Amino acid sequence: AQTVTQSQPEMSVQEAETVTLSCTYDTSESNYYLFWYKQPPSRQMILVIRQEAYKQQNATENRFSVNFQKAAKSFSLKISDSQLGDTAMYFCAFMIRGATNKLIFGTGTLLAVQP
Amino acid sequence: EAGVVQSPRYKIIEKKQPVAFWCNPISGHNTLYWYRQNLGQGPELLIRYENEEAVDDSQLPKDRFSAERLKGVDSTLKIQPAELGDSAVYLCASSPEGALPYNEQFFGPGTRLTVL
């Protein structure tokens, strides 16, 4: 069975600073996807960034980047130049490639960006 | 383009009462998902539809939960009777059918259910 672990329930960062959210996962599969989703307070969840496990290059989307360590089964999210609008719950998620499109989520990290 | 629409946004009921949630997916999305998100947890899949067919309902507690997706568009998730432990946010998501190796899921705002 696949599991996703986020060991940081809450984090805080000053505006314009950089913060890294941690995620580890466990799977015996070799072909899969990893995601970071953002869930702002009382708003819908949106996809922040995606990483294909077969790609060695770390994904980047503007101020968001990941550090994907396949051997260590680690998938951290770095947010640069943090903005007040980044305040949200962040979920790490896993999906087996070619399977049922089923997302398995971690328990989330609540990020607060302080002015 | 309109996103996934869910109603109601909030619902408070007493235990043993029935409750229903409604979801309208993004136009053209043939796959629809219902997730349950308990407080302090990540979402967990309850059921997935491909058009009208429920293709994965292994996590749906079938003794009290039911779902339908008539005509392959809107969907309704029902709980009868509700229990205290059903208090959670119920999320609906949809994804398109396409040539991608995976289909991105787009989430609705959820329905927050409180069972007293």
Side-chain angles (χ1 to χ4, degrees):
Chain A
Q2 283 68 233
T3 59
V4 177
T5 302
Q6 294 180 250
S7 59
Q8 304 154 314
E10 297 182 22
M11 292 195 72
S12 181
V13 64
Q14 293 295 124
E15 201 174 2
E17 297 294 308
T18 295
V19 65
T20 299
L21 309 183
S22 302
C23 172
T24 58
Y25 60 95
D26 190 23
T27 184
S28 58
E29 301 287 335
S30 58
N31 247 342
Y32 51 87
Y33 301 97
L34 293 161
F35 308 85
W36 279 98
Y37 279 87
K38 171 184 178 181
Q39 189 177 41
S42 300
R43 295 177 61 185
Q44 54 251 64
M45 194 173 321
I46 58 173
L47 179 64
V48 174
I49 197 165
R50 176 186 83 242
Q51 175 78 42
E52 287 93 335
Y54 60 88
K55 289 187 177 179
Q56 292 187 339
Q57 185 172 7
N58 289 324
T60 299
E61 289 286 344
N62 301 313
R63 298 182 295 107
F64 299 87
S65 61
V66 299
N67 183 2
F68 174 47
Q69 302 290 327
K70 191 171 184 178
K73 296 181 181 175
S74 171
F75 183 61
S76 61
L77 174 70
K78 185 172 81 171
I79 306 174
S80 304
D81 186 25
S82 296
Q83 301 175 0
L84 296 178
D86 295 333
T87 293
M89 184 72 85
Y90 287 82
F91 291 97
C92 179
F94 170 97
M95 179 193 294
I96 299 173
R97 179 185 169 98
T100 60
N101 222 39
K102 179 178 180 177
L103 283 167
I104 298 170
F105 289 88
T107 53
T109 295
L110 180 60
L111 176 67
V113 180
Q114 307 293 341
Chain B
E1 179 182 280
V4 176
V5 179
Q6 291 187 249
S7 69
R9 292 293 310 277
Y10 304 91
K11 188 74 176 179
I12 300 174
I13 61 172
E14 295 191 346
K15 63 181 181 182
K16 301 184 181 180
Q17 295 299 305
V19 65
F21 315 122
W22 176 79
C23 173
N24 180 240
I26 292 173
S27 177
H29 284 194
N30 71 315
T31 306
L32 184 145
Y33 313 77
W34 282 104
Y35 289 86
R36 177 168 61 186
Q37 185 177 11
N38 293 316
L39 185 64
Q41 302 293 317
E44 294 180 323
L45 181 68
L46 291 174
I47 189 168
R48 176 173 67 99
Y49 281 93
E50 296 285 347
N51 300 306
E52 303 89 352
E53 184 182 1
V55 295
D56 183 359
D57 64 355
S58 57
Q59 301 302 311
L60 190 72
K62 297 182 183 62
D63 56 336
R64 297 182 300 106
F65 286 65
S66 64
E68 61 181 11
R69 191 183 183 198
L70 301 176
K71 301 181 182 179
V73 182
D74 296 1
S75 177
T76 301
L77 178 68
K78 298 178 182 177
I79 308 175
Q80 182 171 11
E83 297 179 352
L84 295 177
D86 295 332
S87 294
V89 175
Y90 291 83
L91 296 170
C92 180
S94 68
S95 64
E97 181 180 24
L100 295 173
Y102 86 103
N103 294 315
E104 181 178 344
Q105 296 181 30
F106 295 83
F107 286 82
T111 296
R112 182 178 296 276
L113 173 67
T114 301
V115 182
L116 303 177

